[in-house]
Amino acid sequence: MRPGTDKAPLEEGRPLLDARGISKSFGGVHALEAADFSCRAGEIHALLGANGAGKSTLVKVLSGVQRPDAGTITLAGETVQFSGPAEAAHHGVATVFQELSLFPHLTVAENIYVGHEPTGPLGQIDQRRMRSDVRALFDSLGVGHIAPGAHVSDLSLADRQLVEIFKALSKEPKLLILDEGTSALGRKEVQRLFDLLRKLKAAGTSVIFISHRMSEIREFVDRMTIFRNGRHVATVAAREASDAEIVEMMLGQRVERSFPERTEVSRDEPPLLELSGFSVGSDLADVSLSLRRGEVLGLAGLEGQGQGTLLLALFGAYRGVAGEALIDGRPVRLSSPKAAMESGIALIPEDRKTEGLVLPMSVRENITFSVLSRLGRFGFVSAARERAFVGRMMERLSVKAASMELPARSLSGGNQQKLVLAKWLETGADVFLFYDPTRGIDVGTKQAFYELIVGLTREGKGVILYSTETSELIGLCHRVAVMDGGRVALTLEGGNITEEEILAASLGVGRGRNAAGADMAEAAQ
Amino acid sequence: MSLRRYRSSLLAVVGLIVLLGYYWYQQPLILSPFGFRLLANQGTTLALAALAQLTVVLTGGVDLSVGAIVSLSNTIAATYMGDSPASVVGVVLLTLAAGSAAGLVNGLLVAYGRIQPIIVTLATLYIYSGFALLIRPQPGGSVPGYYASTLTGAWGYLPYSLIVLLVVALCLRMPIMRSRLGTAIYAVGDNPGGAHMSGINVPRTLVSAYVIGGFLAACAGLFLTAQTTSGDATVGTSYTLNSVAAVVFGGAILGGGRGVALGPIVAAFFISIIVSVLFAAGVSSFYQSVFQGAILIVVLMFGNAWTLRARNRLAVLRS
Amino acid sequence: MTTATLKSRFGAFTRHGVAVSYALLVVLIVVAVILNPAFASWANVKAQLQIATFIGIIAIGQTLVILTGQIDLSVPWNLTFSSILMATLYGEGYGFAVAVGAALLVGIGVGLVNAIGVAVFRLHSLVWTLGMNALLEGATMVYTNGQPPDSTIPGFVRFLAVGNLGGLPVAPLVWAVLAAVTILVLARSRFGRFLYATGNNEPALFLSGVATRRVHVGAFVASGVCAVLAGILLTGYASQTYLGMGNDYLLVPIAAVIIGGTNIMGGAGGYVGTIAGTLIVVLLQSILSIAQIGQAGKNITFGLIIIALVLLYAREARPTD
């Protein structure tokens, strides 16, 4: 044990899980280096760390998905070695992974029971019992809106995450591991989930919880373990350390989380982008917005209220879009991403791994997809011009990569996200659409992204930023449009952009609703 | 199983009803016991081959060796069957074992060799057809008359071939597809990584699916032998691609996880019968391939139309 | 291209694939020469290259299509129909340009329809191009009334197929030129770059503002045209067209692409490997012939070789790695 660990002897409780000296490396890169981790019976334990700290690898080792190179795992006093997830489950370890492990075309009930379905005398699955059990479980937990017979592909992302959690719980685990298991859940659902976790805890189940949302963690967990660079740094009681201290332990240095100063926006100029009556089926209803040069317009609201649809529709990725879009006063046809790009729009999509990057291809190739026609002649690419361009972009965004020929896959999450942005910097885009750009990236890189976003506005670009982190919206935006059910429920401006206002408008309660009503009344006059 | 899964079969069912309706209008004789028998026999081989293909397609693979296993079974059966009931039973079992073994090899290479199914089965397509050629370098051989009539005959309006098909399909459904193995097959095709993380033994599931596929392809070969009453090492060639067509027309998704047996069976009958229908309609035999191709193409476009209605183009790209 | 570029572009997967397939090629050549020293004669080398040309040219199109993650099963009857059309038109006195032009138009049209099915209707190419193949078979039957056509072969086609230019056979030269262009396009052009990206992650390329449909169109049209070119050369070589002349050209070129180390799921590989794959396939056939192994033995050996090679270099990663 290193000095500084286990700051104080905490309340009693025997260790349910004790992992000692766990090492795991991938092709010479150490993901875990003699890492220790221990969790008591009946506690909710948060595992924290910046990207690349080894949290996910530890989860995979604990759940039997990966075998450690070295180290021992003791579970309830017994030394265990898992040959696979099945065996881990057998020992009472159930995990909700970052990548959902659901089966979209099986039913909710089939998903929850997969691998341990109740069977009849002939080995046939007892569908009826499975569904009624799930029905009863859902009703008792207040998620009765999810039908046990529904196909998972028809559920919202948040509901899918809940199903994933219930799937893990159906194995009646002694230890439940949630790896970013709540990233898509709204506040109400998170609250409900933690009510459930507390019940489990009372029944003696331990929960290991991993999340980037600091506020969530602080409220609900008993203890926190901080990892850095594949090693255990400290384990502290949840109320013992301040946010700043935790961030410092995660990063190894004190980082003030501060937002760069907003760019001054001229009120006199005509808007850069004007949307009127933008609608997409039932997902987006009659959205009218304007964006000025130098401005950051935030999109807020609960998850899945049309924010993503709005951004994708603006970028031409939807068909059947009604309404009008003007850029610099000229109407534009956003019929495809190519058309949107040519109209001066850029999109940093939701999932950098599947939508932003071609992971097996090089950093160089990923940065140049959108500008390739300008880096050569007659359909061929000039290697020299391409390398020069890529070098310039990497320097401008300080992308950390040993070589521009490395596959994008090998970069950290934050650097990958920079590649996605780099691709757009010289396409002549004036309107930048960011879809939750800092989700799942570490605190240091988040800071860099704030600088980059504000930097764009200083150059006279306009930014529309959708973020699930309210603090980002408060810190960066000139105005915030709160969306609800595919509509803009309320637009907040300047000093009105506060956590309370956004939340109230998101939930459609209190002052938010009144203000929206007033807005509409005004508009009607 | 949810009813919703059967929606994918709708297109094939409607197609077959329309086709049979038109056939009946052209050729009222098909409503006779003889006509029934003819129709049933025509489609059964492909229906069995389609079930073989479906089992593999559900796991996210594709089996290009189905046709070769059909040929191999045909040559084994027609070469060794003999005349006595005992040897008939023995050779039928031998043939089924050979088909299952062929499936086992496919499955082992896919699951433990970690080679793409399309490559594995392209290679074994050559290997199994080579074995078929070894057994029967020239077409020939025979099966006893009672073997043929037992499988292809009829009892009044009830063709034996349909009974055979029904028994095979039910055996497939009850003990296999409705067991944990069945769910595992769907799960592996739907989300292989998730299946592994959910504690499903993915390699074992894959191997099982390919073995079942090989077994069913051997069933198809045995039935085909009853129809042709002789052996030919290339007789099965067309069943590979036609079985893929039947599976897709029948609503299963190449890529895995989606599809039920009903659709491919019905689609197999559609594909098999359409030639006769065109003939009855007086279409020159030269046009038959045109029609077959055109119908397949139109049907595919219809079948996929729902995907295209999605407003989100990314969803369309990923489908 | 630097080594680092090669690494990132092809990954460990294909670097090994190309090396292994060329190593195997050398082994096969040595085996063939030991079995029959006459194998190394110039006449035999020419004969082998001649046969390899047809497969190699079809495999150009197939490589491009497979790189995008698709497959083209419409080659056999595209080849047959366009060749018969060319020979018939020429026989009816339409002249060389019209005859060959019409054949090429067929190839372009087939490629377009294939691409529309795949890129617009989002159909799986395995079945869609199969339907096209059936359609083209029917079209050939209707056009010829099922009779082998009376063929008149343009002199220039004969020259391309079996002529000599400065002591070198023309057909392999045609192949060499097409191969060089293909390798250049894959390594250096925008289209080449987009082929790889489409095969790896089409949504990401689409969201980069690239019209990915056109990439599919390019690949399938190239494949259609390659099939036609191979058909024209085959017509000149055989001095006739016949029904089913394309039957041997469905799976063999695909096997050549796989043996050459291109990932059947798209996104990795290239034509350098396919050349080795093509030569391996051709050499294997003739070695087995020299060794007097019958068709059955040829099939079995061919299948085993594919499996052995792929086990060597094209295995998928374990789900947990």
Side-chain angles (χ1 to χ4, degrees), chain A residues 65-66 315 337-338 341 347 349 353-355 357-358 360-362 364-365 368-370 372-373 379-381 383 386 405 423-424, chain C residues 2 4-5 7-9 184-185 188-191 193-194 196-197 200-201 203-211 213-214 320-321:
Chain A
V65 173
Q66 281 168 351
F315 197 61
K338 189 177 159 68
M341 177 174 95
L347 171 75
K353 290 194 162 83
T354 61
E355 297 167 351
L357 295 172
V358 182
M361 294 180 79
S362 69
R364 169 176 58 82
E365 289 164 315
T368 53
F369 284 134
S370 305
L372 215 49
S373 57
F380 283 83
V381 183
E386 185 182 20
E405 304 302 339
K423 153 164 89 180
W424 295 110
Chain C
T2 62
T5 318
K7 267 186 202 162
S8 74
R9 163 64 52 82
L184 187 69
V185 163
R188 282 262 173 263
S189 77
R190 201 163 64 211
F191 174 60
R193 181 81 55 89
F194 291 164
Y196 286 94
N200 275 312
N201 185 349
L205 191 67
F206 180 66
L207 284 183
S208 298
V210 174
R213 284 177 185 178
R214 290 187 203 164
T320 53
D321 284 351

Side-chain angles (χ1 to χ4, degrees), chain A residues 102 105 110 117 154 167 335, chain B residues 4-5 180 190-191 198:
Chain A
L102 294 179
H105 300 98
E110 283 170 328
E117 298 93 342
D154 293 339
K167 178 177 158 191
S335 54
Chain B
R4 180 178 153 176
R5 257 163 228 166
R180 284 185 187 170
D190 211 5
N191 180 358
S198 305

